[in-house]
Amino acid sequence: MSDSVDYFGSGNEIFQNKELLQVSHLPDGDRIIGREDELTNLANAIKPATRGNTPNNVLVYGKTGTGKSLCSKFITNQAIDRAANNDITIGVAYVDCLQDSTETQAVQSIGHQLNRPTETNVSIPHSGLSTSEYYRRLWQIVDHWYDVALIILDEVDKIEDDDILMQLSRAVESGKLTESTVGVIGISNKVRYKDSLDERIKSSLCEREYVFSPYDATQIQEILRSRSDAFHEGVLEEGVIPRVSALAAREHGDARKAIDILRFAGEIAEENDYETVTEACVDQAHEREETSRLAELISKSPSHAKLVLEAMAFLTQQKGDSDAPVTTNEVYDLYKRLCERDESDHLKLRRVRDILSELEFLSIIEQERKWAGKGKGNYMENRLIDDPEVIIAACNESD
Ligand SMILES: Nc1ncnc2c1ncn2[C@@H]1O[C@H](COP(=O)(O)OP(=O)(O)OP(=O)(O)O)[C@@H](O)[C@H]1O
């Protein structure tokens, strides 16, 4: 054997079941920490469905990573089992409204999830039908094959057309369904979402409302500990979970962030061929999580939002101070030059203003209205929350 470098490292094994740390992983009921009241409330709201009756429509609010999606998925799965004992068939469809943001996409997705084409003989093509035809097929499937359809609309505030909320929450009243019934669980991070709804939609969609509060550091520790068998025994150093929890609790008790940081810390230990995951790995993981979270947010934003953000990051870099404010006009000028670079048409100033307020809503930037002086009116100052280098890296990663 030669003494050549072994690029596979010494084979220290960090993870034994990394799947437990994926955001998509749905933990068992006994691994859902500190959400007993919320689960009981949700169960009570949809309980009628387990007997084949119309459940209450529910709106669930709370900041990101507070377990809204997890609890909604968990309780609807449990409802399916409970209903089966009563000979009732419940179908559950989950729509991520950020991804399926138009009415047609959302109805198509619901139809697709509830359809069992070999039994129903109904096809739900990915495109090519009118919205009303997608609805017609959906009601046909529900009426024929289910007693109750439970529809989870995650990030419901991202849906472009409220009409779907009306259609779903009033399907029975309006006679679209004759044999079956429907319940909707809407989930939102925006506490004021309800205020933006039409009165009629509000009264049918918001029969019950629940707010999920952020986790404290102790609950986050418990959530992480209940998943520590993702790692081989003895691999996690003692201070790791408290450190991750403290970081996540500092930023509004986001369990998703905590789980991501822990997974990244394990990956960093693995990449460096360490025998254990250390607190230093956590600090590096925290930075990696920031870039990756931003990259995910940015990759879901339209291409012009990326250009606006890139323009802001370049301007901030030029000013040599990562906290320096930039005015909307400065951003707009550089954004137009970036559009020229990419040979694309630029948007009007009004749209760029909208994009900046969307970026503020996503907590990527902060905005402050300033008074320019008599006769000059107001102007807007924009500041990046993260360092410009992190934003530029995230823009590149999202490509
Ligand atoms: N109480 C909990 N016990 C165990 N794991 C949890 C708990 N709450 C959240 N998690 C985990 O944290 C991650 C984020 O949770 P979830 O997606 O449900 O949050 P959310 O409130 O819906 O956030 P968002 O609004 O960003 O979608 C998931 O991986 C979930 O499994």
Side-chain angles (χ1 to χ4, degrees), residues 121-307:
N121 263 332
V122 177
S123 80
I124 306 279
H126 280 293
S127 57
L129 300 183
S130 64
T131 311
S132 57
E133 181 58 21
Y134 278 119
Y135 272 120
R136 202 187 62 75
R137 294 189 189 190
L138 169 64
W139 302 138
Q140 190 185 346
I141 293 166
V142 173
D143 233 3
H144 207 85
W145 296 90
Y146 297 95
D147 296 298
V148 187
L150 291 177
I151 297 166
I152 304 174
L153 298 175
D154 206 344
E155 307 225 29
V156 59
D157 46 277
K158 298 292 182 315
I159 206 93
E160 285 166 19
D161 189 341
D162 288 351
D163 199 39
I164 185 168
L165 304 177
M166 187 71 113
Q167 298 281 353
L168 295 179
S169 57
R170 298 188 158 217
V172 176
E173 276 172 54
S174 60
K176 297 288 181 349
L177 292 174
T178 51
E179 306 291 323
S180 316
T181 183
V182 178
V184 179
I185 301 180
I187 303 178
S188 173
N189 297 332
K190 269 183 165 174
V191 184
R192 309 193 68 85
Y193 168 64
K194 198 175 125 187
D195 300 346
S196 65
L197 289 175
D198 175 287
E199 282 304 320
R200 282 193 308 159
I201 300 178
K202 208 187 288 183
S203 68
S204 38
L205 183 66
C206 316
E207 289 169 334
R208 302 269 172 106
E209 284 174 50
Y210 302 115
V211 178
F212 280 41
S213 51
Y215 297 111
D216 60 28
T218 317
Q219 286 172 319
I220 300 235
Q221 278 206 36
E222 233 184 297
I223 292 174
L224 295 178
R225 285 201 200 284
S226 79
R227 297 186 189 208
S228 56
D229 44 348
F231 295 89
H232 279 289
E233 220 178 313
V235 156
L236 279 187
E237 289 196 359
E238 215 172 289
V240 166
I241 287 186
R243 175 113 192 99
V244 177
S245 312
L247 288 171
R250 209 166 64 192
E251 288 167 55
H252 83 246
D254 178 343
R256 161 176 318 182
K257 189 179 190 104
I259 294 172
D260 280 346
I261 297 177
L262 190 61
R263 190 182 65 252
F264 284 137
E267 285 173 359
I268 288 166
E270 204 169 49
E271 286 159 19
N272 288 291
D273 207 17
Y274 298 154
E275 283 176 8
T276 55
V277 183
T278 64
E279 285 186 55
C281 298
V282 174
D283 292 337
Q284 277 186 48
H286 186 212
E287 265 175 47
R288 192 179 284 191
E289 190 275 338
E290 296 265 272
T291 316
S292 126
R293 178 181 56 87
L294 278 170
E296 197 195 330
L297 276 178
I298 296 169
S299 69
K300 287 181 184 167
S301 310
S303 57
H304 284 271
K306 274 187 223 174
L307 291 173

Side-chain angles (χ1 to χ4, degrees), residues 23 31-33 64-70 189 215 227 256:
V23 168
R31 286 185 185 235
I32 299 184
I33 314 291
T64 56
T66 49
K68 303 181 298 294
S69 317
L70 168 63
N189 297 332
Y215 297 111
R227 297 186 189 208
R256 161 176 318 182

Side-chain angles (χ1 to χ4, degrees), residues 1-6:
M1 277 272 279
S2 73
D3 287 343
S4 60
V5 179
D6 180 354

Side-chain angles (χ1 to χ4, degrees), residues 6 9 12 41 52 60 63 91 105 110 163 165 215 225 240 299 327-328 332 348 395:
D6 180 354
N12 287 324
N41 287 337
V60 178
K63 293 204 167 161
Q105 284 169 335
I110 300 167
D163 199 39
L165 304 177
Y215 297 111
R225 285 201 200 284
V240 166
S299 69
T327 65
T328 301
Y332 189 57
K348 296 226 164 65
C395 285

